[in-house]
Amino acid sequence: MSISSCVIALTVYGHIVVKPVLSTCAPTTLVVLQVVGYTCAALALSMLYACLTVDPGLVSTLPPGGSPERAPCKVCGLLRPPNSHHCRTCGVCVSGFDHHCGFLGVCIARGNHRPFTALLGAGATILPLFLHCVVVVAQCELTARPLSSWSDAAWPAAKFGVPISALAFSCPTMVGFFLYNLTLLATGTTSPLFVDTMIQPLVGRVEAAVLRVLTRVLVSLEGLVAARVWRDAEAALAAAHRVGDGS
């Protein structure tokens, strides 16, 4: 339930720290934050409930028969359709498996991938806006009450520095995960299929390109060394001839 804890923490911090300052120095920003924030919080909690309660696609709940391409699982022995995976964390076979989410403690698959992506979308919307509001509040307070010594900076650093650092790290991470899962939904694929069809061939091509470059470099170095050795041999032979002619 860490997602609920984050929503509650952001709400409490917003009411105690952000709202009083924005109400005086940036009331329009406060209205936007409240409208978007409460909407995203409601969406996040509802999508969280859906992720935790909707059947992700357990093979044990699928009707018998179905696809003739079903093959037994090597772990539990259940006949499962293609693109299924046995989650060792949950101990079940899941059809259309994408990944096991450690934050939610459930498998994300074809049954709950859409609400999971919507949950990420809510986070990717509110976190950058909340980060902007915290920065505005910090600027307003530091402008109204400038710091006179290093000892005065301890409380503002804890009050604004820690949240800004956490949000600055969380925003690109959340946006990246949201765009990645949105791409998976748009293309009708999953993370294991994406790795098999996109990542592994790309890694193979990169490895082949690196090997070709290294081979050319080694061949060039070998040629340079051979040329140097040949020039040294010619110089030694010419010196020997000069010594012989002189004698």
Side-chain angles (χ1 to χ4, degrees):
M1 300 303 290
S2 58
I3 303 296
S4 300
S5 302
C6 291
V7 172
I8 294 173
L10 288 177
T11 304
V12 172
Y13 182 83
H15 276 279
I16 295 177
V17 178
V18 177
K19 184 178 179 180
V21 180
L22 285 183
S23 61
T24 57
C25 68
T28 304
T29 305
L30 176 61
V31 173
V32 174
L33 176 63
Q34 287 179 325
V35 173
V36 177
Y38 289 136
T39 303
C40 290
L43 176 63
L45 293 177
S46 60
M47 292 300 101
L48 173 63
Y49 177 79
C51 288
L52 297 177
T53 56
V54 172
D55 179 14
L58 300 178
V59 174
S60 57
T61 62
L62 296 177
S67 173
E69 301 178 357
R70 288 193 177 192
C73 173
K74 296 180 181 180
V75 179
C76 64
L78 283 177
L79 289 176
R80 60 185 190 180
N83 195 22
S84 299
H85 181 78
H86 186 91
C87 178
R88 297 185 181 275
T89 304
C90 298
V92 293
C93 265
V94 184
S95 176
F97 179 86
D98 186 82
H99 69 282
H100 179 87
C101 180
F103 286 101
L104 303 182
V106 297
C107 292
I108 304 300
R110 60 180 179 85
N112 58 358
H113 201 174
R114 286 184 175 83
F116 177 75
T117 304
L119 175 63
L120 294 178
T125 301
I126 188 56
L127 288 183
L129 176 60
F130 198 81
L131 173 61
H132 169 72
C133 293
V134 174
V135 172
V136 171
V137 169
Q139 291 175 341
C140 293
E141 283 212 357
L142 294 178
T143 302
R145 291 188 292 273
L147 301 178
S148 58
S149 63
W150 284 105
S151 59
D152 296 337
W155 173 239
K159 186 178 180 181
F160 300 115
V162 174
I164 289 175
S165 300
L167 290 169
F169 171 78
S170 303
C171 287
T173 304
M174 185 68 72
V175 172
F177 277 128
F178 169 65
L179 294 177
Y180 170 71
N181 282 272
L182 192 63
T183 302
L184 293 180
L185 284 180
T187 56
T189 186
T190 58
S191 292
L193 288 178
F194 181 78
V195 171
D196 293 337
T197 59
M198 297 292 293
I199 302 299
Q200 289 184 352
L202 179 62
V203 171
R205 289 195 294 269
V206 171
E207 289 179 348
V210 171
L211 288 176
R212 285 196 299 269
V213 172
L214 290 177
T215 302
R216 291 174 182 174
V217 171
L218 292 176
V219 169
S220 300
L221 291 176
E222 183 181 5
L224 292 174
V225 172
R228 179 63 181 272
V229 171
W230 182 255
R231 286 196 301 270
D232 292 344
E234 286 183 337
L237 186 58
H241 280 300
R242 285 195 299 272
V243 172
D245 293 340
S247 62

